[in-house]
Amino acid sequence: SKKGFTLIELLVVVLIIGILAAIALPQYNKAVEKSRASEALQMIQTLRSAEERYRLATGNYTTNFDDLDIEMPGQKSGSNNIYTNYFRYLLYTNGGVLVYRRSGGDNLYGFAFNSVGNKICCYFKEDYKNTCPQLGFTVDNQPGWFSGDIDCFSI
């Protein structure tokens, strides 16, 4: 007699692996997006600290990334915009920092951190409405710096 697997046994194994992959892939994508969002949230906190150090040294805030004492990854578009692979960072004259999660030219969600330390998170695409709560933001629908009729969250 020959030793080996039957075709049915191999098909069952392939089917089980396919089912497990179908279950795991969405969870993996959520974990990756949460990691990206956490990185952006940490970056805007770092930017706010750099903005505050600049204000203490000069008396006012800057809108120019070159004036800050930190290096930002990404490409500059003007003095107050930096684009990374996934995000767009902006500086404002009042010391605020905005970051948008972008994909294909669309805003997906974003964070704002103003000069008094208020943090908000807003989503623009329905697929990303759970990103803010997953990062610890709570719903309060407060108006933020983001324009349009969107849902925002705060910490």
Side-chain angles (χ1 to χ4, degrees):
S1 74
K2 295 182 179 180
K3 293 183 179 181
F5 297 105
T6 67
L7 182 58
I8 297 296
E9 290 171 330
L10 291 175
L11 287 174
V12 168
V13 169
V14 169
L15 179 67
I16 290 171
I17 291 172
I19 290 170
L20 291 175
I23 292 170
L25 192 59
Q27 295 303 320
Y28 171 76
N29 289 338
K30 283 182 188 177
V32 168
E33 194 60 46
K34 188 175 178 182
S35 174
R36 287 180 184 147
S38 295
E39 181 181 332
L41 194 54
Q42 182 63 41
M43 182 56 76
I44 65 169
Q45 290 172 333
T46 302
L47 284 169
R48 272 293 308 128
S49 295
E51 276 274 49
E52 198 57 38
R53 288 190 300 275
Y54 183 85
R55 186 189 64 79
L56 290 172
T58 65
N60 45 341
Y61 295 107
T62 184
T63 58
N64 190 338
F65 280 100
D66 293 332
D67 293 340
L68 300 178
D69 59 356
I70 61 171
E71 285 293 319
M72 281 290 296
Q75 292 185 307
K76 288 185 183 172
S77 173
S79 62
N80 73 330
N81 281 288
I82 289 186
Y83 289 89
T84 64
N85 288 341
Y86 302 105
F87 293 96
R88 175 183 176 205
Y89 296 88
L90 296 101
L91 298 177
Y92 284 87
T93 56
N94 64 357
V97 180
L98 271 173
V99 60
Y100 292 95
R101 169 66 166 96
R102 299 183 53 79
S103 178
D106 292 333
N107 293 330
L108 306 178
Y109 61 87
F111 304 110
F113 196 3
N114 66 17
S115 60
V116 293
N118 297 331
K119 291 180 252 183
I120 66 167
C121 177
C122 300
Y123 71 91
F124 306 100
K125 298 285 184 184
E126 193 68 23
D127 293 348
Y128 293 88
K129 70 179 179 181
N130 293 324
T131 302
C132 297
Q134 288 172 350
L135 293 169
F137 288 85
T138 56
V139 178
D140 70 0
N141 288 325
Q142 72 176 40
W145 296 348
F146 299 101
S147 60
D149 185 22
I150 56 175
D151 289 330
C152 293
F153 304 79
S154 66
I155 278 191

